[in-house]
Amino acid sequence: MKSMEQNNDNQAEDGDHYSYNFHHLRLEGERSRLPIAKHRDAILYSLERYNTLILVAPTGSGKTTQLPQYLDAAGWAAEGRRIAITQPRRLAASTVASRVANEMGVDLGREVGYSVRFDDVTSPVTRIQFLTDGLLVRELYRDPLLSRYSVIIVDEAHERSLATDLLLAVLKKVQQKRLDLRIIIASATADVETFRKFFSAPISSPAAHRPRFDQRPEDLTRQSVTALHLGGRLFPVDVEYLTTPTPDYLAKTLSTVLAIHREELPGDILVFLTGRDEVEKVVSQLYTFSESQRSASRLVALPLYAGLGTDDLDPIFNFAAEPGSPRRVIVATNIAETSLTIPNITYVVDCGFVKLKTYHPHNGWERLGVTPISQASANQRAGRAGRVRPGKVFRLYTEASFSAMAPHTVPEMQRSDLAPTLLLLKALGIHNLAKFEFLSPPPSQLMLKALEFLYALQVIDLKGQLTVPLGTHLAELPTHPSLGKMIFESVKFKCTQEILTVAAMISIKSVFFRPSSDQLSAYEDSIRKFGVEEGDLLTYINVFNAYQASPKTAKWCKRRFLNFQELQRAESTRRQLKAYFHSHIGSAAVSCGRDTQSLRKCILTAYFHQVASFNDFDGSLQQLRGKETLYIHPDSVLFRRSPKMLLYTEVLHTTKPFARHLVTIEPEWLTEIVPDYYQLRTARPSSSAMPMIG
Ligand code: ADP
Ligand code: MG
């Protein structure tokens, strides 16, 4: 008798099952044609022999979707263990999980699930779990050996995000204690030496920290690393450069897309721009163009950036090309560079820039600036064109500019505010940070600045140990230590209700949206209604409370120039923070009512390092500790006012550095709240003291 599996023909004759099986078979066929399929046995074999496998294959090969399925089929998820696969971005974790669930014919959240911060779609039967790399690092608190997982796939490792680098560094330590743990480092670029060196370096921890269980010699020799390079790009991609540089890449993007549409064969276009505003602008220009065309030559423009809902994403990912369907133009931020696979792309338009965050330790500012991409990025972007057939990339820069680009992007770990990272490491029991092995060690200036800040925040003591209870609490809170500090101190200042709102509101992008110039006076009127002279953060409380008391509709928000989606996000963030407060800090979340003084003092305990005084003479701001001059952001309620002294939670660089999210403070509060930081004590026992790195 034939088994059910073998007898596909019979099932195909059964009308009820036909379409399901057809779909499944089509996916099966696609799966077996993916470049990674040929290497399945080699991958599984390597995993038997080595602890760590570095897997290099171009985007679209099947790393993310196929690897976990191969491992599952080979029994790596037996006995309740899970296969983890990490992603640098939340959006990728959920999208890819749903694709894999689909391929396996299971419901998302059961055998295949995902978890991201504040959202867990897994169950006890989950065998393949997608999650963000940051979340997996936090899991170490609960389970220092990550014993739930048999294999951990660190995906998109080439991006070198801060969380990925941190995860790899701690995984190396976990693996030293768990020889059975397998790590796969999946990368889309061939630069494997950093990973290989890191994982093959001798164990540097002292003998006392070695695993205590019996290690047989053959087990020790298996503490080893290997790399597999899987084939090249699927199809060739032609590269076109500009002959002269363009002064306006947005205009050039539009004309290039239209030229492709006019002159090139069918095939969808993927456009890379730097941010959401640019994406929306080009999408609306393309929409206007499309409206003016006969239906035969229409374009459909679709935006793609982080934060979009499933409804917006569906037409991008769940799409099957049919003859005669309009040409799609997906206008995306860098999010489409590697982790997401968009079907049917043949043309890529690459503006050559990316928005990158860089932290400047000398003034403590994080700067989100548009900078040229690296050659590695340019090649990644180009690669997106050659997945279904030979493709073409239009680089909106000259060949000389390409040659002048850096070969790789600087790892995020080397250009970030390290305070949250160092706090996390301390909480994981890694006290000797000077000896901690980073994948690429951050500059010492960044380390010192972060330690100095954590000390001033009273999160670590002079010996570099976490303080109790503040430090230990903050380490568990998945937000920046400043937010945590403010929430913690709110008990003392009796303003928890307000602080939770403030914390939620500064976690969102922007609550007001600035309209075009004809509506500007209505906009200013609206802001004025919510505005208070104590500054923006207190104004946000008014906005949030008004929203709470409103019907909570898009219409209500729109009339007041408020961002509906962001307010919904703030509401959910506040709920999470409040739950955290109740479970870790206190039972009663009290309100300070109209006592804005306590509230502002409480905020100062967290943002004392970002205080500036107002210069009446020219309207500028001068950092109190530091040399920088900055300006009040035009969106602030304090714009065109002259507060004596204020604190800011963010600096935004456009034409000049603008301070955002302001709160007025009184100079004498500094003596009361942060005397050491500003050297305001008469006797100064510890003003110049620095915590030890060790
Ligand atoms: P990699 O991780 O190596 O970049 P993926 O596993 O993400 O590759 O994708 C492998 C292939 O699976 C893609 O080339 C594409 O054909 C298909 N694929 C992946 N995700 C989707 C999706 N959401 N919709 C349609 N096809 C997809
Ligand atoms: Mg991938």
Side-chain angles (χ1 to χ4, degrees):
M1 203 175 80
K2 277 181 178 175
S3 76
M4 283 293 281
E5 281 88 350
Q6 287 167 329
N7 203 350
N8 278 325
D9 289 344
N10 268 356
Q11 287 183 21
E13 280 157 18
D14 181 343
D16 284 337
H17 293 289
Y18 185 81
S19 67
Y20 168 76
N21 277 329
F22 174 73
H23 178 67
H24 202 70
L25 284 178
R26 186 173 62 83
L27 287 179
E28 274 300 310
E30 276 179 22
R31 289 188 57 199
S32 61
R33 278 196 299 274
L34 284 173
I36 201 173
K38 291 198 292 286
H39 304 276
R40 182 194 151 117
D41 292 344
I43 293 167
L44 293 174
Y45 174 74
S46 304
L47 219 54
E48 295 291 341
R49 291 219 35 205
Y50 300 89
N51 304 71
T52 302
L53 165 63
I54 305 165
L55 192 71
V56 179
T59 307
S61 311
K63 298 184 296 298
T64 311
T65 55
Q66 306 309 304
L67 261 181
Q69 297 188 65
Y70 295 167
L71 301 180
D72 180 36
W76 282 96
E79 292 162 23
R81 293 252 175 134
R82 290 184 181 185
I83 296 157
I85 170 155
T86 68
Q87 300 290 316
R89 279 171 294 269
R90 298 167 57 111
L91 180 63
S94 54
T95 318
V96 177
S98 99
R99 167 74 183 184
V100 172
N102 195 1
E103 285 188 9
M104 287 173 65
V106 299
D107 288 337
L108 182 63
R110 287 185 52 80
E111 289 83 354
V112 181
Y114 70 89
S115 36
V116 297
R117 177 154 70 116
F118 301 146
D119 195 10
D120 183 21
V121 187
T122 63
S123 68
V125 298
T126 298
R127 300 199 304 261
I128 296 175
Q129 180 179 5
F130 287 86
L131 73 175
T132 53
D133 33 25
L135 203 73
L136 188 56
V137 173
R138 295 201 160 266
E139 211 166 309
L140 286 160
Y141 290 145
R142 272 195 285 118
D143 180 3
L145 292 180
L146 297 176
S147 47
R148 180 195 266 190
Y149 305 102
S150 57
V151 185
I152 292 171
I153 306 168
V154 180
D155 204 2
E156 313 294 348
H158 60 272
E159 279 187 37
R160 304 295 310 275
S161 80
L162 195 152
T164 301
D165 274 20
L166 185 62
L167 176 64
L168 286 169
V170 294
L171 279 183
K172 178 178 173 179
K173 283 181 151 291
V174 172
Q175 202 180 44
Q176 285 164 8
K177 300 185 187 153
R178 254 193 75 190
L179 288 170
D180 63 315
L181 176 67
R182 296 294 184 271
I183 299 170
I184 302 181
I185 302 169
S187 166
T189 61
D191 176 34
V192 303
E193 272 325 295
T194 317
F195 301 125
R196 191 205 284 277
K197 272 206 203 100
F198 185 72
F199 277 92
S200 50
I203 299 168
S204 66
S205 60
H209 288 197
R210 291 267 175 88
R212 270 176 298 161
F213 50 82
D214 275 352
Q215 281 176 340
R216 285 167 295 132
E218 60 268 34
D219 281 336
L220 271 181
T221 57
R222 276 172 48 184
Q223 178 96 26
S224 51
V225 49
T226 185
L228 277 179
H229 291 256
L230 317 184
R233 182 177 285 161
L234 288 174
F235 294 96
V237 175
D238 278 347
V239 182
E240 297 222 355
Y241 290 101
L242 296 185
T243 43
T244 48
T246 172
D248 180 354
Y249 65 72
L250 281 189
K252 196 76 193 169
T253 299
L254 189 69
S255 62
T256 306
V257 168
L258 296 182
I260 296 172
H261 188 47
R262 236 178 9 249
E263 292 157 19
E264 302 279 345
L265 293 170
D268 294 345
I269 307 171
L270 174 62
V271 177
F272 285 99
L273 294 175
T274 73
R276 177 180 170 163
D277 294 349
E278 289 181 358
V279 167
E280 293 287 5
K281 187 165 169 191
V282 169
V283 165
S284 95
Q285 287 169 334
L286 286 170
Y287 180 79
T288 313
F289 165 83
S290 176
E291 287 292 286
S292 68
Q293 296 299 301
R294 285 175 300 110
S295 59
S297 60
R298 279 176 66 129
L299 281 177
V300 181
L302 301 163
L304 177 60
Y305 46 78
L308 287 176
T310 19
D311 289 352
D312 303 307
L313 298 174
D314 218 45
I316 297 178
F317 294 104
N318 294 325
F319 167 85
E322 278 163 29
S325 49
R327 194 196 294 268
R328 302 186 311 154
V329 186
I330 308 334
V331 188
T333 61
N334 208 40
I335 195 164
E337 193 174 290
T338 52
S339 46
L340 299 170
T341 294
I342 304 160
N344 205 42
I345 300 296
T346 310
Y347 305 100
V348 164
V349 177
D350 170 15
C351 77
F353 290 93
V354 67
K355 231 182 231 172
L356 269 194
K357 242 188 213 165
T358 311
Y359 178 75
H360 298 267
H362 66 279
N363 56 18
W365 296 347
E366 206 160 40
R367 184 171 185 164
L368 186 64
V370 171
T371 46
I373 55 175
S374 65
Q375 291 180 349
S377 278
N379 293 334
Q380 279 301 317
R381 291 180 176 188
R384 313 306 324 241
R387 287 200 17 266
V388 275
R389 61 185 149 222
K392 219 169 186 181
V393 56
F394 296 82
R395 290 182 168 159
L396 304 185
Y397 41 93
T398 61
E399 194 159 5
S401 315
F402 176 79
S403 309
M405 288 172 179
H408 298 281
T409 313
V410 176
E412 199 181 358
M413 183 71 88
Q414 298 182 327
R415 52 180 166 85
S416 296
D417 168 14
L418 293 181
T421 305
L422 298 192
L423 177 57
L424 225 143
L425 289 174
K426 292 263 175 201
L428 291 175
I430 297 158
H431 298 300
N432 194 340
L433 293 175
K435 288 232 177 91
F436 183 72
E437 293 172 66
F438 289 98
L439 201 54
S440 302
S444 57
Q445 230 196 342
L446 284 183
M447 299 274 283
L448 289 172
K449 177 84 185 178
L451 284 170
E452 188 201 21
F453 175 67
L454 290 176
Y455 173 69
L457 205 61
Q458 294 164 358
V459 165
I460 57 173
D461 60 20
L462 270 177
K463 291 204 185 102
Q465 307 273 10
L466 282 187
T467 55
V468 180
L470 180 62
T472 48
H473 275 319
L474 260 52
E476 280 185 39
L477 189 64
T479 61
H480 192 276
S482 286
L483 289 189
K485 165 92 172 180
M486 198 162 82
I487 295 172
F488 188 86
E489 294 289 345
S490 74
V491 176
K492 192 162 90 203
F493 291 95
K494 300 191 172 56
C495 56
T496 304
Q497 292 290 356
E498 286 75 18
I499 284 290
L500 289 173
T501 305
V502 168
M505 293 295 277
I506 47 185
S507 303
I508 62 172
K509 282 207 185 77
S510 184
V511 67
F512 295 111
F513 66 85
R514 189 176 263 279
S516 51
S517 49
D518 52 324
Q519 284 184 297
L520 218 52
S521 74
Y523 165 75
E524 280 167 5
D525 282 348
S526 174
I527 294 190
R528 214 171 298 130
K529 272 196 204 106
F530 296 110
V532 290
E533 61 185 12
E534 288 96 335
D536 300 303
L537 298 192
L538 285 83
T539 301
Y540 299 157
I541 297 179
N542 280 347
V543 172
F544 186 83
N545 290 344
Y547 172 73
Q548 287 297 311
S550 79
K552 299 189 185 176
T553 58
K555 194 171 149 209
W556 185 90
C557 292
K558 195 163 176 225
R559 286 236 303 272
R560 289 158 183 82
F561 302 96
L562 301 176
N563 204 325
F564 179 47
Q565 269 186 351
E566 294 295 315
L567 272 166
Q568 285 178 311
R569 201 161 292 158
E571 201 176 14
S572 113
T573 305
R574 190 182 188 280
R575 211 176 303 124
Q576 307 290 342
L577 292 173
K578 191 167 182 190
Y580 169 82
F581 176 84
H582 286 314
S583 62
H584 287 76
I585 301 176
S587 49
V590 292
S591 162
C592 61
R594 290 178 182 277
D595 178 9
T596 69
Q597 222 185 64
S598 304
L599 176 59
R600 285 180 292 152
K601 281 184 185 174
C602 182
I603 299 171
L604 182 62
T605 64
Y607 291 98
F608 56 86
H609 57 303
Q610 305 195 130
V611 169
S613 58
F614 187 77
N615 184 343
D616 273 318
F617 185 64
D618 63 357
S620 68
L621 297 174
Q622 178 65 48
Q623 272 191 321
L624 215 55
R625 196 175 127 166
K627 297 187 186 65
E628 307 280 344
T629 300
L630 62 170
Y631 300 86
I632 296 184
H633 194 276
D635 277 349
S636 168
V637 293
L638 297 181
F639 187 61
R640 292 209 194 92
R641 288 176 169 256
S642 23
K644 220 174 346 182
M645 194 171 273
L646 51 79
L647 64 80
Y648 52 92
T649 70
E650 198 180 295
V651 179
L652 193 74
H653 286 258
T654 46
T655 47
K656 39 187 184 184
F658 286 109
R660 284 183 72 199
H661 306 318
L662 313 178
V663 176
T664 60
I665 63 161
E666 299 299 329
E668 58 271 20
W669 297 353
L670 295 173
T671 322
E672 180 188 334
I673 291 170
V674 274
D676 290 343
Y677 191 76
Y678 288 102
Q679 311 201 344
L680 296 167
R681 275 192 218 283
T682 25
R684 295 186 275 132
S686 60
S687 56
S688 60
M690 266 291 298
M692 294 192 295
I693 283 210

